[in-house]
Amino acid sequence: MADAPWAEIREKFQAALALSRVELHKNPEKEPYKSKYSARALLEEVKALLGPAPEDEDERPQADDSLGAGDHALALPAELVEAEGPVAQGAVRRAVIEFHLGVNHIDTEELSAGEEHLVKCLRLLRKYRLSHDCVSLYIQAQNNLGILWSEREEIETAQAYLESSEALYNQYMKEIGSPPLDPTEHFLPEEEKLAEQERSKRFEKVYTHNLYYLAQVYQHMEMFEKAAHYCHSTLKRQLEHNAYHPMEWAINAATLSQFYINKQCFMEARHCLSAANVIFGQTGKIRTTEDTTEAEGDVPELYHQRKGEIARCWIKYCLTLMQNAQLSMQDNIGELDLDKQSELRALRKKELDEEESVRKKAVQFGTGELCDAISAVEEKVSYLRPSDFEEARELFLMGQHYVFEAKEFFQIDGYVTDHIEVVQDHSALFKVLAFFETDMERRCKMHKRRIAMLEPLIVDLNPQYYLLVNRQIQFEVAHAYYDMMDLKIAIADKLRDPDSHIVKKINSLNKSALKYYQLFLDSLRDPNKVFPEHIGDDVLRPAMLAKFRVARLYGKIITADPKKELENMATSLEHYKFIVDYCEKHPEAAQEIEVELELSKEMVSLLPTKMERFRTKMSLT
Amino acid sequence: MAGASVKVAVRVRPFNARETSQDAKCVVSMQGSTTSIINPRQSKDAPPKSFTFDYSYWSHTSAEDPQFASQQQVYRDIGEEMLLHAFEGYNVCIFAYGQTGAGKSYTMMGRQEPGQQGIVPQLCEDLFSRVSKNQSAQLSYSVEVSYMEIYCERVRDLLNPKSRGSLRVREHPILGPYVQDLSKLAVTSYADIADLMDCGNKARTVAATNMNETSSRSHAVFTIVFTQRCHDQLTGLDSEKVSKISLVDLAGSERADSSGARGMRLKEGANINKSLTTLGKVISALADMQSKKRKSDFIPYRDSVLTWLLKENLGGNSRTAMIAALSPADINYEETLSTLRYADRTKQIRCNAVINEDPNARLIRELQEEVARLRELLMAQGLSASALGGLKVDEGSPGGALPAVSSPSAPASPSSPAAHNGELEPSFSPNAEPQIGPEEAMERLQETEKIIAELNETWEEKLRKTEALRMEREALLAEMGVAVREDGGTVGVFSPKKGPQDARVPALRGISRAA
């Protein structure tokens, strides 16, 4: 190769690279790809200057090239062939150009042309793909093909390319390990080439992206655990290579915890959340190497918002862990089952024994100091399901702490929906804590706290905008009153002589529960206050349940006045009848509330008789 | 009722000049409310993908085609219904969605020529004509409009030229979600609205050029706040119904993702996001996907300005419609398919504000017990009823009254006469015993009832007995000249009258249910 064209080639290539980095919006509006097209023209010139590819042996097996996913070479481990000698060097240089041309075409939405170039690049490099000169280029070409095939919705092909990249990286790191050449370097004079450190950084970044793309591929393939694992690894690598924005990283880790919570992997969830706390603490303190610009402008505000959001992720952690424990320990009417409690304890013991092995399998963030800092946060809270009140209380207090933290940002004025969600979580924390509480009076007080925090919310909530939220709260408050009433009845039941004080209390709770069920049912009315003929699917079951409970509540009013009692029976009957009639008219509703409907039917047939007798008795006394 | 589900329509336009010149093939077909699309790259035998919507509008041909859906028809089906809801006092929202150039603006705005006007002008005109028809001394109306644009999570006021930077989105307990400082202009005619819209559209184009963005990447929201005041002459009271009509032009699907409009995840194909800045989006999508069944998580990225907007329209008392514009051409196959998929998903959009119900198990068990008790009771009675010849109601007949289950007032007098009721569930009334004589039946009945009475003695009856005792005690005390308080506590001994149970009740009074 003569010197003159070589200088020209180098110049043109650098110019092309510079052009391809021009941000799209700097182009004229009508020609958004102008800079890309110019870059492409230069690359084509370079390609021409490099001359035609020699009819190399490696190019002969044409049949393979179009196979993509089916390409056997993708799966085979590579053998190290150094790209030495003029033939190899020529091939590598042409491959570099093909790679940049490929990316360029993809950028301008010419996928098929882009694919052709990338495939050509791979073909030129195949032999040398494990070499120091080519490995990064090869991986990047494959990654780009992966992205390309994902855009064509052929996700398996994308997966094959990306997994091949992953394997190649691993093999290279295992067998060679020295930081390889970056694809921008091939046309640079020796003295301008990148330092080892920079090469390593770039190569690692390529691999981080590789993992990130795989995460997305697995997600689209609905391999969620694998996807989470790759997201987790991506986060880990961002930390390792100091390529993160603390606030963003923290919120991502906290979000990932929510995935683990749903999968009931509480140890992993705790790890993510603890790391989120630690890294969030770095906000403003650490300079980042990654140019991850926050889109939002108001940074202090965003800071507080993110803090509140991480707090909310923690709330869910505490809440879910407690609810999970409740689910595994309750009997069929929601009370603590002692056998199940010991089962859970035994299970936990097993979990503790296996802790180390589970931890080893999981991706751990950070090393050294960072690792210690994360562990320190982790130690404050258990990842095991609580089995008694004391353990539940720990989680409750932590959850409550984060409730207060979240409420600092998510105030009712300005963040109505978020604020209410936080309060609902707070109420849920109390509710699940009540399950662990054995003393009925104290349990009662917990429900009372729930009511106290929820009731004021609906008072000034405009149902035109917050109808569904309103309904949720009405329903929850009604339930809480109902639960309190049940508890008071149970307490009274234990008393030798229940006094009229407690009777009054029970009746007053009954009335409040009724009131909220009624409010809920009234919210179903149309603007002209007419109850709908047909209840919407989304509220059908709650509406029927509310009716059912109302019916039951009327049956539970304690009164010494026989007339009133008869009235209550009649009202109760009316509501049971509503359920039965509605389900007759709308058979599809019946399957929503099978058990309740059966019982309502029974009551509809039994209550009139009961009332009849009652009347007779009244007329006699 | 909440507009829990969205009305979804799709509409396919005719070929444009470019498509005609390129000899484009039509890949979309419609049959009733079903829309099908064939993949031009696959063989002809491959089955088309079909989607069913509330409406599938065939506007690919011209008015001569009996299948052809005109601007008027689209308005009648969707616009008019929404307008009527607004008059009823609901918030309504119409979304338009689709690739740029798929006919969104034509459907929403249309052209000035007669018969070519889109939903928005027709709706506004209709609104004002209905208002003028309904004029009366008692009724008055006012209409205000605002127009904003959402681009990259930033909100811009399109009607206020002085407005700079991004407006803040907030929620107020009474006012609902709102955009701080967004101008609201009063209008009295459709002409006013048309002017403002025109202004806003210009502002949108200008801004887009300045910022090197295309308007197709931003969402535009035109809002009409419609207030109906009613003066009741009898009572002298004024009432007010406020409804919001939101007309939303969603960003063109093809660019929404790259523009960072991550909110609605407009494009949910298999596309891989290249930049790590989108990691958060990927993770939240992952977490979101897992939480479909149970709502036990919190996903920070989930809410964007636009989802917030959707939330308003799904979480409140509102009605929502969405129209997806489709290109018929084979070259747009991918985009059209993605639009169809998006529209299909929209059908299932539900606000995540589901009502959490508590397990009913305890209540059910309790009630089952009661039913069993009652049944037992009535078995005994059914026996006597059959014994007495199945009389319908025999009011004065003598017999033993059963103490009513869980009724505190029934006097414990099992020897009082029994009532009969022939209207028993056939399931247990045919359970008749062999015929026996009336006296014998009565005897057996009384016996059974006594047993049942004992079985059924609940705490409430204990309570009643206690109460009876208290009454006796009281009477004695009264005789002795000691005053007893109304609630039964002896003076000065029991808790103060304002017990904790009373303290809570006033809090309930403040609940307003008015819309």
Side-chain angles (χ1 to χ4, degrees), chain B residues 87-266:
Chain B
F87 271 91
E88 288 166 10
Y90 288 108
N91 289 335
V92 302
C93 182
I94 304 175
F95 284 94
Y97 174 78
Q99 187 189 1
T100 312
K104 254 187 316 175
S105 345
Y106 178 72
T107 293
M108 289 300 269
M109 301 305 297
R111 285 194 293 270
Q112 286 299 323
E113 304 134 47
Q116 295 294 315
Q117 291 192 318
I119 293 178
V120 176
Q122 290 189 67
L123 184 140
C124 295
E125 253 172 308
D126 201 0
L127 169 74
F128 283 107
S129 84
R130 279 168 201 266
V131 162
S132 63
K133 265 185 230 152
N134 288 351
Q135 288 296 358
S136 74
Q138 290 91 46
L139 274 171
S140 65
Y141 299 90
S142 66
V143 181
E144 288 169 298
V145 300
S146 58
Y147 197 8
M148 63 174 163
E149 179 186 51
I150 306 167
Y151 175 77
C152 280
E153 300 299 291
R154 284 161 189 270
V155 181
R156 190 162 55 205
D157 190 344
L158 292 174
L159 296 184
N160 180 3
K162 284 189 202 128
S163 157
R164 298 235 173 266
S166 178
L167 300 180
R168 284 184 62 180
V169 170
R170 295 177 65 84
E171 275 183 84
H172 187 275
I174 304 294
L175 305 171
Y178 68 102
V179 178
Q180 217 170 15
D181 302 323
L182 181 68
S183 35
K184 256 196 215 165
L185 306 179
V187 289
T188 54
S189 67
Y190 170 61
D192 288 350
I193 292 191
D195 277 354
L196 287 172
M197 219 174 235
D198 204 37
C199 263
N201 286 337
K202 275 182 192 136
R204 205 180 164 194
T205 323
V206 171
T209 317
N210 287 346
M211 291 173 68
N212 267 306
E213 49 191 65
T214 45
S215 56
S216 67
R217 297 183 196 181
S218 70
H219 314 291
V221 184
F222 190 83
T223 311
I224 303 168
V225 179
F226 174 50
T227 311
Q228 308 172 72
R229 275 180 210 85
C230 184
H231 181 78
D232 192 325
Q233 279 173 323
L234 275 176
T235 58
L237 290 174
D238 283 324
S239 63
E240 213 181 66
K241 250 196 269 183
V242 184
S243 34
K244 222 172 174 183
I245 303 167
S246 307
L247 305 159
V248 184
D249 187 352
L250 293 177
S253 55
E254 76 282 18
R255 282 279 160 248
D257 220 33
S258 52
S259 71
R262 64 185 175 211
M264 288 187 79
R265 269 181 251 125
L266 294 172

Side-chain angles (χ1 to χ4, degrees), chain B residues 225-354:
Chain B
V225 179
F226 174 50
T227 311
Q228 308 172 72
R229 275 180 210 85
C230 184
H231 181 78
D232 192 325
Q233 279 173 323
L234 275 176
T235 58
L237 290 174
D238 283 324
S239 63
E240 213 181 66
K241 250 196 269 183
V242 184
S243 34
K244 222 172 174 183
I245 303 167
S246 307
L247 305 159
V248 184
D249 187 352
L250 293 177
S253 55
E254 76 282 18
R255 282 279 160 248
D257 220 33
S258 52
S259 71
R262 64 185 175 211
M264 288 187 79
R265 269 181 251 125
L266 294 172
K267 199 163 177 178
E268 278 187 297
N271 288 18
I272 291 175
N273 294 290
K274 288 187 208 177
S275 163
L276 277 168
T277 50
T278 54
L279 177 61
K281 187 179 123 181
V282 170
I283 294 179
S284 52
L286 180 65
D288 210 17
M289 222 166 284
Q290 285 301 295
S291 67
K292 291 265 157 68
K293 285 175 219 122
R294 318 187 293 137
K295 196 193 156 212
S296 57
D297 54 7
F298 168 70
I299 296 158
Y301 279 101
R302 201 156 41 180
D303 279 3
S304 70
V305 175
L306 204 63
T307 37
W308 159 82
L309 197 102
L310 249 184
K311 178 169 70 187
E312 174 192 354
N313 283 291
L314 291 173
N317 217 352
S318 73
R319 295 280 187 263
T320 304
M322 130 125 184
I323 305 176
L326 308 176
S327 156
D330 45 359
I331 43 166
N332 291 322
Y333 167 77
E334 310 276 346
E335 288 303 341
T336 305
L337 179 62
S338 114
T339 303
L340 281 168
R341 283 190 176 139
Y342 181 78
D344 195 47
R345 276 197 302 277
T346 315
K347 284 195 302 197
Q348 282 120 43
I349 287 187
R350 263 157 202 276
C351 191
N352 53 12
V354 284

Side-chain angles (χ1 to χ4, degrees), chain A residues 499-556:
Chain A
D499 57 18
S500 65
H501 182 78
I502 198 158
V503 173
K504 262 193 150 176
K505 174 95 202 172
I506 289 166
N507 278 342
S508 133
L509 291 168
N510 185 315
K511 226 166 127 186
S512 300
L514 269 178
K515 173 179 187 153
Y516 279 95
Y517 284 123
Q518 206 50 60
L519 277 175
F520 168 76
L521 288 167
D522 286 344
S523 81
L524 304 176
R525 294 171 189 272
D526 67 12
N528 301 318
K529 309 286 171 226
V530 179
F531 201 83
E533 272 288 303
H534 182 91
I535 303 171
D537 288 351
D538 55 330
V539 281
L540 179 62
R541 181 164 161 84
M544 288 295 150
L545 289 181
K547 279 277 178 194
F548 186 64
R549 291 215 167 208
V550 165
R552 184 67 192 142
L553 280 164
Y554 274 106
K556 288 188 113 175

